[in-house]
Structure formats: C-alpha cells, structure tokens
Amino acid sequence: MPQNNSFSLEVCVESATGLLTCEGRADRIELCSALAIGGLTPGAGLIRRAQVHTVPVHVLIRPRPGDFTYDRHDLAAAISDVRFVRECKLAGVVIGAARDGRLDLPAMRNMIDAAEGLHVTLHRVADILPDPLLVLDQAVALGIGRILTAGGAQGAADGTAQLAKMHKAAAGQIEIMAGSGVTAENVAQIADATGITSFHASCTSVAPAGDELAAFGFGQQRVTDKAKIEALRNTLNMLHPH
C-alpha cells in the first residue's frame, strides 16, 4: 500500500512481528523497545532482524528511561548503539540529548559523528524543552534531517498551533514530523491545521493477557495493528497538501 501523494507515514514498532506487519504498508519504521515508557533502544537481535526488511528502518537510541540529560556512561552506551546500527547498515537513528533547557550540543555531535552517513532524526526531547524554535535552529545547525514532535503537547492533535509554527519556521531546511496520538480519525485535522505532510504513529492494539502476567508485573504486550496502519495510510492517501 505505497503512498500516492506527498504524505508519508512512519510506524513505530517494538517487535519482529511488527516489522513484518509494516511491510507494504508504512513508508518508514522507527524501531524501539518499551513503547509503554516512550521507547528505549531495542536489543541487538531485533536490530539485526530489521536488516531483512525492505521498509527503511530508523532505530531509536535512548539508553535508559527518564530524562534526556546523559552522563558520560549513558552517552558511551548510546554512541555504541549508534555505531552498531551503522554496522548493520540500517537507514537511520533517532536521537536526542538535553542539558539546561536546550539540546546538549556536544552529546548530539558525538552521536551524529558516530552515525556517519545515517539519516538522523531528533526525537521528542524537543517537546519538553522550553523553546521549540531554538531547538529547531540547533537541529538545523547540527545537520539533522527530521524532528519528531507533538508541538510541545502530549498529543499532536493538541499541539497543532506550535506544530504549524515549527513547520513554517523550518522553511524546508528540516522535516517536521507530527507524532504522538496520530490516528486515522485525527490525521486530516492535524495536516490541515499545520501544513505538515509527515506523520508518525504506533498503530498498536493491546494483546489479551492473563491476570497472572499482570500480577507478576510483566506488563501488557502491544502489537502492531495492520488494520490501523491501513486505515491511516488510506486516509493520508486521500489528502492533498497545502
């Protein structure tokens, strides 16, 4: 189900089955683990598994939960993961580091240097920093190709005013991709309000799980939902860019 207009769809997945589900449906994949806590770097086995897929795969690099202010040990782990993704010859990495209310430029440069030719996306660290337009300028200066953002809101549908400002300010220098809570039901409204043509969604459903798993704290499995991807892609295919 390839796109038939200029609107693109990136789907975030955290399993080998999710990778398969995106084949022929998504334009791009963000690969991660632990979606329930905003995503972490996936394991080496899953990253290697992504090598066999035709959809371009961009790997989230987030070495731990919590904030994005990394010490030298966190950063060393992140750089090692970036290098592994490059060795696996995947399409790109999704990174972010912050310090004192803005991007941590030395940490970002170190990760970008390690990426060496991979496409680089700035993740939603942009949404927790006080000046999104400063973040945009920093990202452009770093040579980053894309910013994933909800416009400083918890969901993109609530951040359309800021998303529109960022999209206008980007002026083609960097791609603004709207993400968080994007669905077939709200993507047209987000696109119309912002002018954005690039979207990110998880398109997941919760798999049934027994009470005994919850009792032991193993959590719920969220599975990539083919029908949700197809519905979102079909909606995007009917839209017309501004």
Side-chain angles (χ1 to χ4, degrees):
M1 189 185 299
Q3 65 184 58
N4 62 16
N5 56 20
S6 60
F7 290 86
S8 66
L9 174 61
E10 176 178 284
V11 176
C12 185
V13 308
E14 57 180 345
S15 70
T17 302
L19 287 166
L20 280 169
T21 304
C22 288
E23 286 285 348
R25 298 181 177 90
D27 300 301
R28 186 173 54 251
I29 292 169
E30 183 192 63
L31 186 64
C32 69
S33 66
L35 265 174
I37 54 171
L40 297 175
T41 307
L46 187 54
I47 292 173
R48 286 198 185 279
R49 185 64 190 162
Q51 292 175 292
V52 306
H53 291 276
T54 58
V55 181
V57 176
H58 297 243
V59 179
L60 176 65
I61 306 296
R62 186 184 175 208
R64 57 160 176 76
D67 66 23
F68 301 97
T69 301
Y70 298 133
D71 63 22
R72 61 188 179 90
H73 306 292
D74 293 326
L75 185 58
I79 289 170
S80 179
D81 288 331
V82 170
R83 288 175 176 154
F84 180 64
V85 174
R86 189 189 72 215
E87 290 166 11
C88 290
K89 296 181 170 56
L90 299 185
V93 290
V94 184
I95 64 172
R99 190 173 298 275
D100 300 325
R102 57 181 61 196
L103 293 182
D104 183 341
L105 296 181
M108 294 290 295
R109 288 192 187 102
N110 284 335
M111 287 188 281
I112 290 168
D113 287 346
E116 195 179 343
L118 296 180
H119 186 280
V120 177
T121 299
L122 177 67
H123 62 47
R124 289 190 62 208
V125 66
D127 286 334
I128 64 166
L129 299 177
D131 189 344
L133 297 183
L134 172 61
V135 171
L136 188 153
D137 288 342
Q138 289 182 308
V140 170
L142 287 166
I144 290 171
R146 181 181 300 115
I147 300 175
L148 168 60
T149 174
Q154 291 189 13
D158 298 316
T160 54
Q162 187 63 59
L163 283 168
K165 289 178 184 176
M166 293 180 73
H167 177 64
K168 182 178 180 180
Q173 300 174 88
I174 190 169
E175 183 178 50
I176 304 299
M177 178 169 60
S180 184
V182 173
T183 66
E185 290 71 34
N186 64 19
V187 70
Q189 177 265 324
I190 297 169
D192 185 62
T194 64
I196 287 172
T197 59
S198 181
F199 295 91
H200 169 103
S202 61
C203 297
T204 58
S205 297
V206 177
D211 291 340
E212 68 277 6
L213 289 175
F216 279 94
F218 290 126
Q220 294 176 310
Q221 180 190 6
R222 299 196 68 89
V223 296
T224 306
D225 189 320
K226 178 177 71 172
K228 289 185 178 181
I229 300 175
E230 291 177 346
L232 187 47
R233 181 69 263 173
N234 286 335
T235 301
L236 289 173
N237 283 348
M238 292 187 290
L239 300 182
H240 301 282
H242 285 188

